[in-house]
Amino acid sequence: MGARGELYTTQVTLDNRSYFFNVKENRNGDIFLQVVESKSRNGEDFDRHAIVVFADDMQKFFKGLDSSISFIEKEQKDRSKAAAERKAARASATGKKVYQRKPTAEEERRRSGVKKTGRVHVVSKRPTENE
């Protein structure tokens, strides 16, 4: 077991924020997930916020998270469809023909709402057999 009961840690770094997903074990032997957001403030200090989800509650927690993600994806699709319909209606009112082009990979990434920087840092706190 690592320092402060850490079993496993994953870090996701974005522009001015880092997210740490820490799997820990407390003194009673309970395993839990700690999610920490660390945000740069003025380039000097960091704001840190953490939530803790115990193993017994993880299924309910992830079900709620999945439901929220599904809602966001559906809402984005509905909004983009409505925008395309408005654009087509405006074009038909003016008599111009509307052509839709295929979005670029960068536009797809922006539309999906997930920022993919390619910078993911994974650290395992589990001791190896050599240690």
Side-chain angles (χ1 to χ4, degrees):
M1 188 178 331
R4 295 174 294 195
E6 291 180 355
L7 301 174
Y8 177 81
T9 298
T10 301
Q11 177 183 356
V12 177
T13 305
L14 301 175
D15 288 337
N16 65 339
R17 297 171 192 240
S18 292
Y19 296 94
F20 299 90
F21 298 91
N22 305 318
V23 178
K24 294 185 173 188
E25 183 177 6
N26 65 12
R27 292 179 187 161
N28 297 332
D30 298 329
I31 294 179
F32 60 93
L33 172 69
Q34 179 188 43
V35 181
V36 179
E37 175 195 38
S38 181
K39 181 180 175 184
S40 176
R41 183 177 52 172
N42 303 330
E44 303 167 356
D45 298 330
F46 288 93
D47 282 336
R48 289 192 51 167
H49 305 280
I51 63 167
V52 174
V53 182
F54 283 91
D56 298 342
D57 302 327
M58 280 189 197
Q59 292 302 320
K60 290 180 184 177
F61 176 80
F62 289 128
K63 187 182 278 188
L65 183 62
D66 287 340
S67 173
S68 299
I69 291 170
S70 297
F71 174 80
I72 291 170
E73 290 172 348
K74 182 182 178 300
E75 188 69 19
Q76 286 178 334
K77 286 179 185 177
D78 291 347
R79 287 182 183 203
S80 65
K81 184 178 177 182
E85 289 172 355
R86 284 193 304 270
K87 184 176 180 181
R90 276 195 306 258
S92 66
T94 59
K96 295 181 181 178
K97 194 166 186 176
V98 176
Y99 296 97
Q100 291 185 352
R101 66 177 176 80
K102 187 175 181 181
T104 64
E106 180 63 30
E107 290 170 338
E108 279 294 325
R109 261 189 244 114
R110 263 188 264 131
R111 188 179 309 153
S112 71
V114 178
K115 186 165 187 172
K116 297 178 183 172
T117 62
R119 297 181 291 173
V120 176
H121 180 71
V122 178
V123 178
S124 176
K125 298 291 184 173
R126 287 198 169 227
T128 61
E129 293 180 18
N130 299 338
E131 292 180 350

